[in-house]
Amino acid sequence: MVGSILGFNMKRSEFMTTPTTTRAIMGKQFLSHRSAMIGAMIVTLFLLLAISAPLITPYDYTERSPDLLTAPSAQHWFGTDEMGRDIFTRVIYGTRISLWVGFFAISGSILVGSLLGLIAGYYGGIRDTFISRLFDILLAFPSILLAISIVAMLGPGLNHALLAIAIINIPTFGRLMRARVISVKTEDYIAAARAIGMKDARIIMRHILPNSWTPILVQGTLGFATAVIEAAALGFLGLGAEPPAPEWGTMLSDARQYIQLAPWTMIFPGVAIMLTVLGFNLLGDGLRDIYDPKMKV
């Protein structure tokens, strides 16, 4: 009737927004977002390199040749290191380590941090105070120094570096989830759910979490880039992956004494780190622009 009064007819489906429609709209926004697409292509490239590493290079990352510190050539695209190992092969296999560390470290941070932030934000009181002070203590230390301290106590190694990176990123996701939960739980539909007798666990699973995951997803993408840098920093200091593992930070550490004689031994691992971090940062910025209404014009 309103449509007739205004002089036009409107179908009910034209002003209803379904989850499928919302996903389609966001998908189109993602495809039209230049930075997000560039980041997605870079990340996809490194994922493909990690998966198909044995098919790309004929060498093994531990294989040595008599050609020491040779410049890039048709036989060795990125040259060789001080032990005669093919740098291109080691960079490709190093992609596996960096992505593996980033994925599991950030996944652990998201799992633990989100759980603590959910408890603190939803229940409040003494639990909120205790968890918030725990986050403050962890954030009081510079992240890389805290990671170094943790690895120094546990001993050098890739698994210990992964654990340290996961621990230092917990407060970031915890505080983000806490703030989001505090905002969501004041909505009218949460009050209505409590009024009809819905239990806390069901409210959390059906209403709180589905409306709180978006900033965690965006921060997780950005945190992935940070985890790659932190893993490389620990490897550079000798606290990450142990030789002969082709970890990019370790490769930089081994090559620093040859920076004038054979600069390619440092350039290519450094470029790999830069491109990986750039890809995840661009992807994270794009997701933030798409999912955050405040970023939309």
Side-chain angles (χ1 to χ4, degrees), residues 8-296:
F8 61 88
N9 294 322
M10 181 181 292
K11 296 181 180 179
R12 188 168 182 263
S13 60
E14 291 177 357
F15 57 84
M16 289 184 65
T17 302
T18 64
T20 303
T21 304
T22 302
R23 287 193 293 267
I25 293 173
M26 289 186 174
K28 291 180 179 179
Q29 291 176 345
F30 181 83
L31 293 176
S32 62
H33 197 290
R34 183 177 300 177
S35 297
M37 286 302 299
I38 294 175
M41 287 189 290
I42 295 175
V43 171
T44 302
L45 173 62
F46 277 96
L47 285 173
L48 293 176
L49 290 176
I51 294 171
S52 57
L55 303 176
I56 297 176
T57 173
Y59 304 104
D60 184 80
Y61 66 84
T62 60
E63 182 179 347
R64 301 186 182 185
S65 70
D67 303 321
L68 307 182
L69 297 176
T70 57
S73 62
Q75 185 177 4
H76 300 285
W77 291 355
F78 290 178
T80 61
D81 61 11
E82 72 280 3
M83 296 184 181
R85 298 172 298 192
D86 184 68
I87 295 178
F88 175 75
T89 301
R90 291 180 63 78
V91 169
I92 296 299
Y93 277 93
T95 306
R96 291 183 169 184
I97 295 178
S98 294
L99 295 182
W100 182 80
V101 170
F103 176 78
F104 283 100
I106 295 303
S107 297
S109 298
I110 291 175
L111 181 63
V112 177
S114 297
L115 178 60
L116 293 175
L118 180 62
I119 294 172
Y122 187 80
Y123 293 102
I126 187 65
R127 281 171 284 196
D128 183 20
T129 302
F130 175 77
I131 293 174
S132 297
R133 296 297 79 76
L134 178 63
F135 290 160
D136 291 340
I137 292 172
L138 292 175
L139 290 172
F141 298 93
S143 58
I144 189 62
L145 292 181
L146 182 59
I148 291 173
S149 301
I150 294 172
V151 177
M153 290 187 295
L154 299 176
L158 186 60
N159 291 333
H160 293 163
L162 188 154
L163 179 61
I165 294 171
I167 290 174
I168 64 177
N169 284 287
I170 286 175
T172 301
F173 296 100
R175 297 183 70 177
L176 188 61
M177 175 60 79
R178 174 183 175 274
R180 184 60 182 168
V181 169
I182 290 175
S183 175
V184 171
K185 76 175 185 178
T186 60
E187 298 290 341
D188 292 338
Y189 60 86
I190 301 296
R194 291 198 184 101
I196 63 175
M198 188 178 291
K199 296 185 180 298
D200 289 343
R202 192 175 180 187
I203 293 175
I204 290 172
M205 296 303 297
R206 295 196 61 179
H207 299 295
I208 299 293
L209 286 179
N211 290 286
S212 304
W213 70 272
T214 300
I216 299 296
L217 171 64
V218 175
Q219 183 59 41
T221 308
L222 298 172
F224 204 113
T226 304
V228 171
I229 295 178
E230 291 165 344
L234 292 174
F236 185 83
L237 296 174
L239 299 173
E242 298 179 350
E247 198 276 323
W248 292 336
T250 305
M251 293 175 64
L252 289 176
S253 179
D254 294 338
R256 57 184 172 177
Q257 56 184 320
Y258 306 106
I259 187 172
Q260 293 183 338
L261 178 63
W264 56 85
T265 57
M266 291 194 68
I267 290 175
F268 293 111
V271 170
I273 295 173
M274 181 196 70
L275 289 177
T276 304
V277 172
L278 176 64
F280 279 102
N281 279 335
L282 290 177
L283 180 59
D285 288 341
L287 292 176
R288 182 196 59 192
D289 294 343
I290 293 169
Y291 284 108
D292 188 355
K294 297 179 182 179
M295 301 300 296
K296 298 178 182 178

